[in-house]
Amino acid sequence: MLVTDIRTQFYDKIINKRVLLLVTHDVDALCACKILQSLFHCDHIQYTIVAVAGKQDLETAFLEHSDQLEFVVMINCGGNMDLIEVLQPEEGVVFYVCDSHRPMHLNNVFNTSQIKMLVNSGDDFNLPAYEDVFRNEESDDEDSGNESDQPSGKRRRFDEETIERKMEKRRKKREWQENSEKIKYDYDEFSFYGSAASLVMYDLAWKLSKDKNDLLWWAITALTSQLIAKRIDREKYVSDVTELNRHVSRHNHRNDDDNPLSVNTMKISFVPELQLTLYKHWSVFESLKHSSYTACTLKLWTLKGQKKLHEFLADMGLPLAQSKQKFTSMDTQYKDNLKDWLESSAKKFGLDNISVPSFQVQFGFKHKFCAFDVAFAVDAILESVNTSKTAEERFMEALDCLSRTYIDKLELGLDLCKQQMQGVVNQVQSLLDMKKVVSAGPFLYAFIADGTPDSKFFSRPNCLMTLGRFMLEAYIKLHNRRRARNLPLVVTAPLDLESGTSLVVGIPPLPELEQASRNFFGKAFEQAAEKTGSRTLHDHFEPSVVVMRTEDRSKFFDALISLLQ
């Protein structure tokens, strides 16, 4: 059941109750979790947080905590799976699901008693009509029962008319089933994303009059992470940014001269932000090299591209020595004018969309971060390859990283992000130089071999998807052919050498990625595995991410080629 009045149909129901909070490993889920935690603390609602990385974790967490439990809140998990079928809950248990994954499972949408889908009323769900996908079987049983209830003397003979009526009924039922299967297939064919869960939760906080700058900043960070991961298009992003800017104006309207910053003040401001990865915490030169937008447009992995980068810096009037300095160590005149100079030179080099509307936050006198920095840092901590930390520890550290009291953890996340981006760029350059991105006909594919430098980073799904998006864009810029632009990409990386498993991700074609980011690989992977008997695990909440036995890779890819041909 879809719920848009979240205050009365969700929050008022759980006050004075104990709640199980299941949160998946992504930036949006963590931000929504922080907003809910803040609301729960205000109203003294008892809760238990459990981090869930996949569907198996979800089942385990529910089983462990299902005793005497009435309410379960799921953030960015559970929406695209049949919860009643999988979890087999008691009748009194109610699930409140706030999940940006689309499409939502139809059994969840049309369950009116136990499942409440918390959604943004502005989203478009494209749901089929109930009667097109669910059939009332009782009426069929009654019809067949009526015939046998007649007295023996008056029992209907099986004459031609009766047989024809039965055949007509069966034909209609068969037609309905075929039509229903087609509607369900069309509905489930593409996976995509709706409004960030954090925006839904922030809207709740605002309606409860419990919103403040911290909660607003978490909503901004979540929205920014969706743009970075290309889960939403630019148009949707700008629309949501405009809405959030109204709240920013409301909370930060005071004049700076009248209210000078104190040590504990938090101030959010609306600013156009450059699409350069962590440039304020790195050097401009390194940031230009490690940002997919500039690296792919200028083709920085080629000698010609390197030359163009130097021309770009010269056109800006930024000395090479200054561009290679850490941003904070640059001369004031260059630092203050960088954004204007960069925007004015960018158009000459084909970088028309170098800046996007965004926000920055200032904590007291010292710390200033833009939303992109924080989103990158939180994701880097979640995707950390530090083997000494468990997934739960990484989750809690990323949750802490969002609090302004743990600036040191945020700085750690920024350093981890730099390492990951260096690994991504090195891998892209290596695969392109060695011509390892191969066209299989209907799609491109690339295998990251065991023992490849930096391959440890790509055992994490988000990092592998970042690599995939970067590589697809780079390949298309390098092979400037129309057909290449419409090809999707499949990337595999070693996951666990001992168990012989690989991680596989599917990246949709670039036009899809730039617009609605609709991904058809979830269904395609399922069908390819079923057709060949490949040993795959579809455990991730993102359908286009699967784990596969490495030895089954060739037959899996053969099936995928024939499916997408």
Side-chain angles (χ1 to χ4, degrees), residues 286-302:
E286 289 298 317
S287 183
L288 284 163
K289 274 174 64 179
H290 293 91
S291 303
S292 64
Y293 183 61
T294 49
C296 294
T297 306
L298 301 175
K299 300 177 191 169
L300 295 183
W301 54 88
T302 63

Side-chain angles (χ1 to χ4, degrees), residues 524-544:
F525 286 165
E526 269 180 42
Q527 290 173 7
E530 204 174 300
K531 200 173 176 183
T532 57
S534 301
R535 289 160 292 179
T536 56
L537 179 64
H538 302 259
D539 186 57
H540 205 270
F541 296 116
E542 169 53 60
S544 60

Side-chain angles (χ1 to χ4, degrees), residues 4-13 204 207-209:
T4 52
D5 184 1
I6 296 171
R7 178 177 180 169
T8 55
Q9 291 180 276
F10 160 57
Y11 199 75
D12 289 351
K13 305 275 185 192
L204 169 65
K207 284 170 180 170
L208 290 166
S209 301

Side-chain angles (χ1 to χ4, degrees), residues 112-129:
T112 54
S113 56
Q114 285 188 273
I115 298 177
K116 316 289 183 188
M117 307 294 292
L118 310 179
V119 294
N120 189 325
S121 56
D123 278 6
D124 186 10
F125 304 106
N126 293 322
L127 293 171

Side-chain angles (χ1 to χ4, degrees), residues 41-65:
H41 289 159
C42 285
D43 293 304
H44 309 291
I45 296 172
Q46 291 185 312
Y47 64 93
T48 304
I49 292 183
V50 183
V52 290
K55 295 171 186 174
Q56 289 181 347
D57 281 1
L58 186 73
E59 289 180 56
T60 307
F62 179 73
L63 284 172
E64 285 177 1
H65 297 87

